[in-house]
Amino acid sequence: MKNKTSFLPREGEAQPSRCPDNSAFKQQRLPAWKPQLTIASVLSSFFLTGAFCLAVGVCLLLAANGVQEVQLDYSDKCSDCSKLRENSSNWNKECHCSVNFTLKEDMLGDVFMYYGLQNFYQNHRRYVQSRSDAQLLGRDVNIQRSRCAPFSAYRNGTPMAPCGAIANSIFNDTIVLFYNHNSSLIEVPLLKTGLSWWTDKNVKFRNPQSYNLSSAFAGTARPPYWQKPAYLLDEEDERNNGYVNDDFIVWMRVSAFATFRNLYRRVRRVRRFAQGLPAGNYTFHISYDFPVSRFKGRKHVILSTVAWSGGSNPFLGIAYLASGTAATLTGFVIAGIHLKLRKKKTYFQKQ
């Protein structure tokens, strides 16, 4: 064992200094700027901030009010199909319903179709974690070690593709829009690609590598609530099939709230619909497959245009107006207090 005195400096040796280096940074000699808060600078900052927020808020509200939107709740209108879907043994039975509505004005420009769900909680911790990002990247991974359970494999050991509760509960209603023109139904052309984010489509989701997609998913099985395997999600377009299917990618981005909407289709602007949707009578033909009665949910279908600021949500504009109003009122309060104190000071100086 070493002697403790061996760690002490010997006589004649220079002891190490614990002082910081003599530099401008360590000695805190760097030049600094400290603003002098005068009444003019404070009031001008509050009033300028208030004016800016009020102007932006008004622009956002005007843009949001200019968005045209039609929202239809088809939960009750398809009540027969809803009762059929309450029994899980009827999962392979088809059920269709129709919802009629009228557009009083033309919906000009790009028109987007959304499906909306109410009282569907996607923010539960176990639900959010029930996925395998490595599997969605097309890698051959051990699903049993992932967080997909109990939707990881069947009892015979066959892994699910894709696995997890999020993928298993995918929204699978099929919605087709028809335009009623001169007592005839004209199907509105809809685009089912270009719905997801570029980063999701090209970075976060990949199909397994193989000479064809069906062989890439060999040895796996579809999730229990799916009606067809992943490699048949879009048989017409290979670039929109499997894990890179836009509907699947949109669903996998879970919502933070119990009421939400997801982009479902885009109106293809050709022929009669080159300018958008003309005013008139329309019909939604719905293949009802997604049950909502068990969790007391509701289903909506939404048609909406967009503005430079986005959709018809006025929250951001209201937030800017509230911030601008608060800043302006604060400026007036400070100005009033300053004038009152200055009058008192002048009065006492005269005395």
Side-chain angles (χ1 to χ4, degrees):
M1 184 176 179
K2 293 184 178 180
N3 191 355
K4 294 182 179 180
T5 58
S6 60
F7 294 99
L8 299 176
R10 298 179 180 178
E11 295 183 0
E13 293 183 355
Q15 297 184 2
S17 176
R18 302 182 64 180
C19 297
D21 296 337
N22 188 20
S23 61
F25 177 75
K26 292 187 175 182
Q27 296 297 334
Q28 299 183 11
R29 296 194 300 266
L30 291 175
W33 175 72
K34 184 178 180 181
Q36 299 295 327
L37 297 179
T38 62
I39 187 62
S41 61
V42 171
L43 290 180
S44 60
S45 62
F46 272 103
F47 286 127
L48 288 176
T49 302
F52 172 78
C53 291
L54 289 174
V56 174
V58 170
C59 294
L60 290 174
L61 280 182
L62 291 176
N65 292 333
V67 174
Q68 295 175 274
E69 182 176 296
V70 176
Q71 180 170 334
L72 300 173
D73 186 337
Y74 65 94
S75 304
D76 296 332
K77 296 180 180 180
C78 299
S79 57
D80 294 338
C81 293
S82 178
K83 294 178 181 178
L84 180 70
R85 289 289 174 255
E86 287 181 2
N87 190 349
S88 59
S89 61
N90 298 325
W91 67 271
N92 58 346
K93 296 181 180 179
E94 295 184 359
C95 189
H96 304 274
C97 59
S98 299
V99 180
N100 301 319
F101 69 99
T102 302
L103 281 182
K104 297 181 179 180
E105 298 179 357
D106 296 341
M107 296 186 73
L108 301 178
D110 294 327
V111 181
F112 299 86
M113 182 188 297
Y114 302 83
Y115 62 85
L117 291 177
Q118 185 176 345
N119 205 36
F120 189 90
Y121 290 85
Q122 288 188 309
N123 53 6
H124 192 279
R125 180 180 59 86
R126 291 190 61 185
Y127 182 88
V128 173
Q129 295 177 349
S130 184
R131 59 185 292 165
S132 174
D133 291 323
Q135 183 196 42
L136 297 176
L137 282 171
R139 300 173 184 172
D140 187 11
V141 296
N142 188 355
I143 304 301
Q144 299 291 347
R145 296 182 180 179
S146 66
R147 296 182 177 180
C148 290
F151 300 101
S152 56
Y154 289 92
R155 293 182 179 179
N156 59 1
T158 304
M160 298 180 188
C163 71
I166 307 176
N168 182 62
S169 61
I170 188 173
F171 182 85
N172 55 354
D173 282 2
T174 302
I175 306 173
V176 183
L177 180 61
F178 288 91
Y179 175 49
N180 303 332
H181 181 68
N182 295 332
S183 301
S184 62
L185 293 179
I186 302 174
E187 183 175 353
V188 178
L190 301 175
L191 296 172
K192 52 186 176 181
T193 57
L195 312 176
S196 58
W197 295 8
W198 185 92
T199 52
D200 289 342
K201 187 82 171 181
N202 298 276
V203 178
K204 296 183 179 180
F205 292 83
R206 284 283 186 274
N207 284 322
Q209 295 293 331
S210 184
Y211 62 93
N212 60 39
L213 199 57
S214 59
S215 62
F217 285 89
T220 64
R222 57 174 177 79
Y225 291 170
W226 284 34
Q227 298 178 349
K228 52 187 176 181
Y231 58 87
L232 295 179
L233 290 178
D234 190 352
E235 302 180 63
E236 300 176 357
D237 188 357
E238 294 183 357
R239 296 172 298 178
N240 190 43
N241 205 359
Y243 292 153
V244 295
N245 178 263
D246 276 40
D247 290 335
F248 174 69
I249 293 175
V250 169
W251 178 259
M252 292 300 291
R253 183 175 292 278
V254 296
S255 173
F257 301 100
T259 300
F260 61 92
R261 65 174 62 178
N262 285 337
L263 184 59
Y264 181 70
R265 292 291 181 266
R266 296 182 298 135
V267 174
R268 187 180 180 186
R269 298 174 61 178
V270 294
R271 299 187 296 276
R272 189 185 301 273
F273 310 99
Q275 303 299 324
L277 292 180
N281 298 322
Y282 289 84
T283 302
F284 281 117
H285 285 189
I286 301 171
S287 177
Y288 197 105
D289 295 312
F290 192 84
V292 295
S293 57
R294 287 190 175 184
F295 55 87
K296 298 180 181 179
R298 311 288 298 180
K299 292 194 292 187
H300 304 82
V301 58
I302 304 108
L303 291 174
S304 176
T305 59
V306 294
W308 60 269
S309 59
S312 62
N313 191 349
F315 173 78
L316 191 59
I318 295 175
Y320 268 100
L321 287 178
S323 301
T325 303
T328 304
L329 291 178
T330 304
F332 280 115
V333 170
I334 294 176
I337 295 174
H338 172 70
L339 293 176
K340 186 176 181 180
L341 294 178
R342 188 173 64 175
K343 289 181 180 179
K344 286 185 177 181
K345 185 177 179 181
T346 305
Y347 174 77
F348 285 113
Q349 286 178 351
K350 290 182 179 179
Q351 295 296 327

